[in-house]
Amino acid sequence: FLIVLTVSCLVSINNYFCYHEPSAIAKGFEDYYGIDTKQFGTLFTIYSAPNTVLAFFSGQFIDSYGLRKSSIFFNALILVSMLLAALTPTPESGILSPTGVYLMLLLSRLLLGLGGESICACVSTMISRWFSSTQHANTAMALNQASVQLFGSAASFYILPHVKSIPACQWITVLVCVISLVANFIYNYYETHHEDYLTEVNEKKDEEQHLHNELPSLPTYQSIDTDSVHDVLQNQHQKNIPTVQSPVEHSIWRQSVDTLAKFPVLFWLIILHISLVSPILYTFTAFGPMYLQETFASSLTTTEAGTAISLLYMSIVAAPFTGMAIDYIGYRSWVQFFATANIPVIFLLLIYEVLDPSICMIWMGLIFSITESNGVVLVSLVVPTELTGTAFGIYACCISFALLLEPATVGWIRQSTGSFSLSIWIFFSLTLAGTLVALYVVAYD
């Protein structure tokens, strides 16, 4: 289990490391490729935009073609994206026009987004497959969250600014992608050699949750290879089993609608809750230093405001310990409700300047370490194993859609009103709504 957890964490650090690479070397990146700030921002928009829809289909891809094949494909896509970025010439070289250079960068970020969000869904499926039937599900998810933030996001911001050459930074990201791809092959080796065990424990988990009684599912097979679901469907069609129809007989949209109908109401409630809460925290951290300096101008300098926000990320190191505590206590839906209820309180304290912002950021980081990993575990517990990939694809779609809208909305409000006050009140309202949805999840469950 420890080896599987370690390699599954390494499988997705490339996405976090590569996503933040332009931000870590922003000024040098803009100068080297001859782009302005607006073009720089578009590189991040094009990462998220396609995943508002395509992440759902990547989830179906995982369930249809198997986790092992899918994860290798998505990791290879990330590697190709960073190779493309590393091979992008400068406008001064004369090989491409400035427009051609920028289009290559956009294509690189597009491929990174398509592979990156999908590999995150793969890793969530990996951990769910190995740990959701154990007493260590929250600990495993929390360790994954802490490791990718530390060795992916934080490492990118720490290592790359010390590298003087932009091309060298690009090739470092390629090296990280190779490390993740190698880890992916190691994971596949272990899953292949424990196939029977995983099939048995996940079927037992599904039976305990009574999921097969709530929604239509495939007939039970004693042993199904995760990479042979398509073959199973073909064999059933040949045997004229009427409960499962060949994918050829339906359009992709019809199949997608049929798949969505299979998810229980509790799953959609959890997704609604996560969509209201998690993107708010990411959006707040993006604008946090500017907001804190605006609100606490008399007591905070620009450097101190940035330091306060960094405390939020440092507090996520507590994720493994909160995960172990939740595994010991249980009552995950209650934990999610009480943790989420803290967030609107923190925003109120910031609005009325009741508490030191550094304390608020540490508090918010601790809450984030609970809600993020515990929310993923809740998703894994309410869907059958054969739909786990699609479930996390839907999860990624909703998060991407919110992150596409919220930062732009906050920026527009700031530009229109000259203040972040309205945005913070919106954050308070949305997280309060998320708290009420979490309470309804408890009641429904």
Side-chain angles (χ1 to χ4, degrees), residues 1 4-5 7-9 11-12 16 55-72 74 115-134 137 140-141 144-145 184 187-188 191 195 197-199 201-202 205-206 226-227 229 263 267 373 375-381 383-396:
F1 282 99
V4 169
L5 180 60
V7 295
S8 63
C9 291
V11 165
S12 64
Y16 291 84
F56 167 70
F57 294 104
S58 68
Q60 286 194 310
F61 188 89
I62 295 169
D63 290 333
S64 298
Y65 293 98
L67 177 60
R68 296 194 292 271
K69 292 178 181 177
S70 301
S71 58
I72 292 296
F74 293 131
E117 290 303 312
S118 299
I119 201 63
C120 289
C122 286
V123 170
S124 296
T125 305
M126 290 175 184
I127 296 177
S128 173
R129 184 165 293 176
W130 282 84
F131 292 95
S132 64
S133 58
T134 72
M141 288 291 185
N144 174 260
Q145 178 192 2
N184 205 153
Y187 171 84
N188 287 358
E191 186 182 282
E195 187 67 42
Y197 165 76
L198 291 173
T199 301
V201 297
N202 282 295
K205 182 207 76 171
D206 289 347
T226 56
D227 288 327
V229 176
F263 288 100
F267 166 77
S373 58
V376 176
V377 173
L378 289 175
V379 170
S380 69
L381 290 176
V383 297
T385 304
E386 65 266 21
L387 292 177
T388 304
T390 305
F392 286 119
I394 295 171
Y395 174 97

Side-chain angles (χ1 to χ4, degrees), residues 231-275:
D231 295 335
V232 171
L233 293 174
Q234 287 184 328
N235 292 336
Q236 288 182 332
H237 181 64
Q238 294 171 0
K239 294 177 183 179
N240 295 320
I241 297 178
T243 54
V244 180
Q245 295 177 309
S246 170
V248 178
E249 300 177 9
H250 290 289
S251 68
I252 185 67
W253 294 107
R254 176 63 184 274
Q255 293 179 54
S256 300
V257 171
D258 291 343
T259 301
L260 291 174
K262 293 180 181 180
F263 288 100
V265 174
L266 191 58
F267 166 77
W268 294 110
L269 288 172
I270 294 171
I271 289 296
L272 175 61
H273 160 75
I274 292 172
S275 300

Side-chain angles (χ1 to χ4, degrees), residues 97-130:
S97 66
T99 301
V101 170
Y102 185 57
L103 288 177
M104 280 192 69
L105 292 175
L106 286 176
L107 179 59
S108 170
R109 295 294 291 186
L110 175 64
L111 294 176
L112 176 62
L114 294 176
E117 290 303 312
S118 299
I119 201 63
C120 289
C122 286
V123 170
S124 296
T125 305
M126 290 175 184
I127 296 177
S128 173
R129 184 165 293 176
W130 282 84

Side-chain angles (χ1 to χ4, degrees), residues 21 28-35 43 79-111 165-171 173-174:
E21 182 230 359
F29 191 93
E30 289 181 358
D31 293 341
Y32 184 78
Y33 290 109
I35 60 176
L43 294 176
L79 177 58
V80 170
S81 74
M82 298 319 298
L83 281 171
L84 185 63
L87 296 173
T88 300
T90 62
E92 289 77 11
S93 67
I95 299 175
L96 290 175
S97 66
T99 301
V101 170
Y102 185 57
L103 288 177
M104 280 192 69
L105 292 175
L106 286 176
L107 179 59
S108 170
R109 295 294 291 186
L110 175 64
L111 294 176
S165 169
I166 298 298
C169 291
Q170 298 285 26
W171 287 107
T173 63
V174 172

Side-chain angles (χ1 to χ4, degrees), residues 323-374:
M324 286 187 285
I326 296 170
D327 283 330
Y328 179 78
I329 297 171
Y331 298 100
R332 290 180 173 89
S333 57
W334 277 108
V335 170
Q336 192 74 5
F337 163 68
F338 284 118
T340 307
N342 283 262
I343 302 175
V345 174
I346 295 172
F347 281 126
L348 281 179
L349 293 175
L350 288 172
I351 290 171
Y352 291 107
E353 303 178 40
V354 175
L355 203 60
D356 184 271
S358 297
I359 297 176
C360 289
M361 293 304 99
I362 295 173
W363 186 0
M364 187 176 290
L366 292 173
I367 295 302
F368 184 65
S369 70
I370 296 172
T371 58
E372 187 77 356
S373 58
N374 192 54

Side-chain angles (χ1 to χ4, degrees), residues 375-428:
V376 176
V377 173
L378 289 175
V379 170
S380 69
L381 290 176
V382 299
V383 297
T385 304
E386 65 266 21
L387 292 177
T388 304
T390 305
F392 286 119
I394 295 171
Y395 174 97
C397 282
C398 294
I399 296 295
S400 296
F401 182 74
L403 288 176
L404 184 66
L405 294 179
E406 289 177 5
T409 302
V410 172
W412 177 79
I413 292 174
R414 175 69 168 80
Q415 186 174 354
S416 301
T417 64
S419 171
F420 285 106
S421 298
L422 178 59
S423 297
I424 299 301
W425 277 109
I426 292 175
F427 290 169
F428 165 79

